[in-house]
Amino acid sequence: MIAIVWRYRVAPASQRQFEQTYGSAGDWAKLFGEAEGYVRTELLRGGDGDYLTIDYWLGAAAWEAFSAGQGDAYRALDARCDALTEAEERIGLFAVAAGLN
């Protein structure tokens, strides 16, 4: 299993909409949920206005297949969500350590 981690800086006025869109039942999770190999999304909120998302996939091949097949939908949703964030950074793709799946 892999985890893809992103960090976001969100303005206070956008936090509610951001949480709805990026949470485990939000638009991103719905889009990912159409793909084979998607497991779940977690949304974490820091005390400083930063958020982390962690998207879990069965493996890198599942993520790559989704990216290849749903790239247009991904980019369209990303463009719609751009106004919700002040900054975003992909932290990286990580293998989930044995025993933590």
Side-chain angles (χ1 to χ4, degrees):
M1 185 179 312
I2 64 160
I4 302 171
V5 182
W6 288 82
R7 176 183 297 144
Y8 301 90
R9 163 86 41 199
V10 180
S14 299
Q15 286 180 341
R16 180 178 169 94
Q17 182 64 38
F18 179 87
E19 290 176 5
Q20 290 174 345
T21 304
Y22 285 79
S24 62
D27 294 344
W28 284 104
K30 289 175 185 171
L31 176 61
F32 295 155
E34 297 174 9
E36 199 168 315
Y38 169 72
V39 178
R40 72 181 184 278
T41 294
E42 294 179 0
L43 177 62
L44 308 174
R45 180 179 58 208
D48 57 358
D50 280 357
Y51 287 82
L52 294 177
T53 59
I54 308 172
D55 302 312
Y56 293 93
W57 294 81
L58 290 179
W63 164 248
E64 291 164 5
F66 165 79
S67 296
Q70 296 290 332
D72 289 342
Y74 183 100
R75 285 185 291 278
L77 181 55
D78 190 48
R80 284 197 334 257
C81 294
D82 193 46
L84 298 176
T85 62
E86 296 175 345
E88 68 179 82
E89 171 190 11
R90 181 176 166 160
I91 303 298
L93 185 151
F94 300 85
V96 175
L100 297 179
N101 305 357

